[in-house]
Amino acid sequence: MVGKVHVIGAGLAGLAAAVRLATRGVPVVLHEAAPQAGGRCRSYFDRTLNAVIDNGNHLVLSGNTTMREFTRTIGSEHTLTGPGRAEFAFVDLDSDERWTVKLSEGRLPWWIFDKHARVPGTKWSDYLSLAPLLRAGPDATMTDAMNCPPALYKRLIHPLFLAVLNADPAEGSAQMAAAVIRETLAAGGRACHPLIASDGLDVSFVNPALAYLEAKGAQVMLQHRVRAMAYSADGSRVESIDFGDGPEMLGADDSVVLAVPPNVAASLVPDLTTPDEYRAIVNAHFQVPPPPGCPPMIGVVNGVSDWIFAFDGRLSVTISGADHLLDESRESLAQRIWEEVAKACQVPSTPMPVWQLVREKRATFAATPAQDKRRPAAATRWRNLVLAGDWTATGLPATIEGALRSGNRAADLLSPA
């Protein structure tokens, strides 16, 4: 019998665990150290832009089955919008060449035989170079496992998987990349429709989840930071949790889902091995309406920018694996990014619009083979303690899909369907 479950951490992993447990009638208390839920997947009001923005631009795909199930459950699937087809626009800033990769809907990749649908300068046979990724071992990086022709690599594989892994394919785990390929590209265009939370991450993932939990009778406690956990003398279970007011004893059937960042988890759980290397992400926002006909997202080749997103009244940029940009001045970096945005979107570069720059130094764990081996399983040696988070052993990189999947796994361990 499952008693009360304390879910510690209200990022997407914790929200997913809490939602699944509450759906099954399990009493849930959700604890979050911050004043708001969502973790890295949240929205906030930015005074400079005088607008609500997301802390980062997060893309999901139609083939992200766990994400689709989660948003259906909390009633927000309709808030994710996209072109309704698997199309990805690109621009080469050096040559000003523009193209759109158009994946065929079914599992058979007919698009690679169409020169108007595939990457310019590539042959259909070039795409076969990705096949060895699916057989890669745990120590292989993407570039170890494949021999990708230069045009395909530079104009599709590098920008795509830099974003997916938040690591350069030269260091990124081939096995994590292969897991993404199996669930998206290999499943056909039907699984690759891009979906964007156009009204904000809170609207799509956070607020509806909190409302759902409230309706199910769950208790949500914000600004409630865990300080310590104590374990029973026989080493079988978590005995108490300290939130700063002294130990709170757990009932005999109570359990804990620990859905906090890896460094916090390592400070609370004895001898826990977690990823300990991170990669940065830079996001830039410009207060300018996207021009007519601007694609919802544009991949950038030969620029500091990686992906440009078009929102209502705003153009936003995401740069993955951005550790090399952390020391550049905000003004210099924003100017460089804006010049690329203006060229890519074909809008005047002067005057530079109102802007905001957000640098996340420890945005995700480093998706390298070595760090992948440090990811712990959800189950622990304590019978009433499970782990959740995109940094646990989900098989996927640090993505929304991986975070939600980890939360579901944690819930299933405590309360099987």
Side-chain angles (χ1 to χ4, degrees):
M1 179 179 177
V2 181
K4 181 187 298 181
V5 177
H6 294 269
V7 179
I8 301 175
L12 287 192
L15 288 172
V19 164
R20 177 160 286 203
L21 289 165
T23 301
R24 295 173 179 170
V26 177
V28 172
V29 183
L30 179 62
H31 309 267
E32 170 55 48
Q36 70 287 323
R40 286 193 61 249
C41 184
R42 68 183 187 278
S43 308
Y44 65 96
F45 181 79
D46 184 86
R47 293 182 180 179
T48 300
L49 297 171
N50 193 34
V52 174
I53 63 174
D54 296 329
N55 72 313
N57 299 309
H58 295 260
L59 174 71
V60 292
L61 297 174
S62 54
N64 295 154
T65 54
T66 308
M67 177 277 299
R68 301 294 292 271
E69 177 193 7
F70 178 75
T71 53
R72 279 195 298 270
T73 299
I74 63 176
S76 64
E77 190 176 25
H78 66 283
T79 67
L80 297 169
T81 61
R85 52 194 179 276
E87 294 189 357
F88 299 87
F90 289 87
V91 59
D92 186 326
L93 294 180
D94 280 354
S95 65
D96 203 31
E97 189 174 3
R98 298 166 188 271
W99 65 94
T100 301
V101 175
K102 304 175 182 178
L103 279 63
S104 41
E105 287 290 283
R107 284 185 174 272
L108 292 176
W110 297 114
W111 64 279
I112 68 173
F113 301 103
D114 182 352
K115 67 179 182 179
H116 300 295
R118 64 179 183 245
V119 176
T122 65
K123 308 184 299 294
W124 71 266
S125 55
D126 293 345
Y127 296 80
L128 301 180
S129 65
L130 301 180
L133 282 172
L134 303 178
R135 304 188 299 273
D139 296 318
T141 67
M142 285 190 68
T143 52
D144 288 336
M146 64 182 185
N147 184 22
C148 191
L152 178 60
Y153 181 78
K154 190 170 187 177
R155 293 186 157 199
L156 180 63
I157 300 307
H158 184 271
L160 180 61
F161 282 93
L162 176 61
V164 168
L165 300 175
N166 193 31
D168 193 284
E171 68 165 356
S173 163
Q175 286 198 339
M176 275 190 264
V180 173
I181 289 173
R182 288 189 186 96
E183 297 187 15
T184 54
L185 291 174
R190 195 174 293 110
C192 298
H193 297 184
L195 297 170
I196 298 172
S198 54
D199 293 326
L201 296 170
D202 275 2
V203 171
S204 292
F205 296 105
V206 182
N207 294 341
L210 294 175
Y212 181 88
L213 290 171
E214 182 181 4
K216 291 291 184 179
Q219 186 178 1
V220 178
M221 304 182 71
L222 300 177
Q223 295 183 288
H224 205 229
R225 183 185 300 275
V226 62
R227 308 293 179 177
M229 296 195 305
Y231 301 84
S232 60
D234 64 2
S236 66
R237 62 190 298 272
V238 177
E239 192 170 62
S240 67
I241 311 172
D242 188 347
F243 292 100
D245 297 322
E248 179 179 331
M249 302 302 295
L250 300 185
D253 296 318
D254 292 350
S255 301
V256 177
V257 175
L258 192 61
V260 296
N263 58 315
V264 178
S267 72
L268 296 170
V269 180
D271 304 318
L272 180 65
T273 299
T274 69
D276 56 4
E277 290 184 17
Y278 302 85
R279 294 294 180 267
I281 291 177
V282 170
N283 291 282
H285 307 274
F286 300 95
Q287 194 181 68
V288 58
C294 182
M297 54 184 293
I298 305 172
V300 178
V301 176
N302 286 321
V304 66
S305 306
D306 290 332
W307 292 89
I308 301 171
F309 295 82
F311 294 102
D312 184 20
R314 174 168 48 95
L315 290 169
S316 295
V317 173
T318 292
I319 305 171
S320 301
D323 297 70
H324 61 294
L325 301 175
L326 295 179
D327 295 330
E328 184 171 349
S329 74
R330 286 171 50 83
E331 292 74 15
S332 170
L333 182 55
Q335 182 67 52
R336 280 210 292 157
I337 295 171
W338 169 245
E339 289 172 0
E340 294 183 351
V341 171
K343 185 174 183 179
C345 297
Q346 300 176 302
V347 297
S349 60
T350 57
M352 184 175 174
V354 175
W355 57 273
Q356 182 60 278
L357 192 73
V358 181
R359 289 189 266 212
E360 296 180 275
K361 186 176 180 180
R362 295 159 61 97
T364 69
F365 74 90
T368 65
Q371 290 295 297
D372 195 26
K373 293 177 182 179
R374 295 182 61 87
R375 301 169 77 183
T380 72
R381 70 174 187 261
W382 297 277
R383 60 179 173 81
N384 67 338
L385 172 65
V386 294
L387 305 175
D390 60 16
W391 53 272
T392 61
T394 66
L396 295 174
T399 59
I400 285 177
E401 179 73 4
L404 295 173
R405 195 170 295 183
S406 76
N408 284 355
R409 173 61 176 159
D412 290 344
L413 286 171
L414 297 178
S415 177

